Amino acid sequence: MIERIVPAGVARAEAFDDALPALPDPRELALLRGRPEATVRRFAAARACAHRCLDQLAVRRGPVLRTADGAPAWPSGVVGSITHCAGYRGAVAARAEVWAALGVDAEPALPLPPGVLGLVATEPERHMVAELSRSSPGVPWDRLLFSAKESVYKAWHPATGRWIGTRAVEVALTPDGGLTASVRPERTPPPGRGRSAPGGGGVPRPVRGAYPYTGRWQVGGGLLLTAVAVPGARDGLPDGTPRPAARLSA
C-alpha cells in the first residue's frame, strides 16, 4: 500500500504481521525493557521496516534509537517516519537533501469514536468531512482527517522541535487521494513548546503565515494510510531525474 502514497526518492517498507526478517538490534530492544511482549514485537517489526528503508538508501546499519522527544533517531543526513497500528507496520526514509521531512501514519479504516472529531477538527474540516461522507460513504473520512494531521505532525515536529495541537493543522482531502495541509502554530493554546519559531531545513516556506504540506492517502484492506513530504534542497533525485517539488506520486 505504502508505495502508492510516497513520492519518488523515498525508501519505503511495510509489514502486515510481526514476523521478523532478522534478529532485532539489542540496543533498540533495550528501549522497551519491561514492556509486554506484544508491544516489543510490534516495535521490533516497525524498526525492521525502518532498517529495510535504510538498506534501500545504502546507509550503514546501526540502531534506530529515540530522540529526547521519543521520535525515531534517524542517522545523520536521513529523515524518516515510522507508523504502526493493528495489522500494519510501516516506515519511510529519504536523504535529507532530496526530501527534507517525511510523515506517515496508518490507522484502522474505521470511524473515529463519537465526539473525537469535534475535538480535533476545525469547523471547515467538519463541513468537509460531512460533504465527503455524503458523496463517498465507504471511506472513514473523519479517521482519514485525523491520520493526515498525524502525518503532518510527524514531519513538522522533528524539523522544529515544537509541539502543536491538532487544530493548528488544517487539512483538505480530495476524493482522488490527495491531501494538502496548512500549519498555523499560533492556533495552539498555550503557545507550543520548543523553539520559539519554525525555521531551517525540513520546514516548508510559509505562505501568508501558514506552512503548507502536500501528500496523499490510500484506503484498502481494512487500513488507511496518509503521507506527506517536504522537498529538500536538491533539484533532482539521486539518478539525475528532476524531482516534482510539490506533487506526490499517485
Side-chain angles (χ1 to χ4, degrees):
M1 290 180 66
I2 201 168
E3 72 278 359
R4 301 175 184 173
I5 62 168
V6 296
V10 173
R12 70 267 185 180
E14 61 188 355
F16 298 89
D17 54 36
D18 292 337
L20 297 175
L23 291 176
D25 189 302
R27 292 166 291 183
E28 294 174 343
L29 292 182
L31 300 173
L32 295 182
R33 187 174 290 117
R35 303 290 293 275
E37 181 182 353
T39 300
V40 175
R41 290 183 64 83
R42 182 173 62 244
F43 173 89
R47 279 302 194 273
C49 290
H51 286 293
R52 285 163 57 194
C53 291
L54 295 176
D55 288 345
Q56 292 171 40
L57 297 174
V59 174
R60 188 174 65 178
R61 280 265 180 167
V64 180
L65 301 177
R66 283 176 172 165
T67 67
D69 295 317
W74 296 92
S76 177
V78 173
V79 298
S81 183
I82 298 174
T83 187
H84 55 76
C85 70
Y88 187 85
R89 293 82 175 90
V92 294
R95 298 281 183 178
E97 69 268 21
V98 178
W99 294 101
L102 298 171
V104 65
D105 184 68
E107 302 281 340
L110 298 169
L112 290 173
V116 174
L117 181 63
L119 298 176
V120 302
T122 64
E123 184 175 355
E125 288 173 331
R126 291 195 295 272
H127 288 309
M128 175 190 67
V129 166
E131 292 176 3
L132 289 170
S133 297
R134 283 191 292 269
S135 61
S136 301
V139 177
W141 294 102
D142 55 352
R143 178 86 65 167
L144 194 60
L145 173 72
F146 175 80
S147 178
K149 288 176 182 259
E150 286 289 296
S151 285
V152 171
Y153 183 76
K154 288 181 178 182
W156 165 271
H157 187 265
T160 65
R162 185 173 182 180
W163 180 82
I164 50 172
T166 52
R167 295 194 183 189
V169 183
E170 188 148 16
V171 172
L173 302 167
T174 62
D176 63 354
L179 74 87
T180 56
S182 295
V183 173
R184 294 185 178 274
E186 71 278 4
R187 292 183 179 176
T188 299
R193 299 185 296 272
R195 295 199 288 270
S196 59
V203 183
R205 182 174 298 175
V207 178
R208 293 186 292 277
Y211 298 85
Y213 288 79
T214 304
R216 293 199 64 82
W217 62 266
Q218 174 76 18
V219 175
L223 297 165
L224 63 84
L225 293 175
T226 59
V228 297
V230 177
R234 181 182 288 178
D235 292 332
L237 300 176
D239 62 0
T241 304
R243 182 201 55 213
R247 179 179 59 84
L248 300 191
S249 59

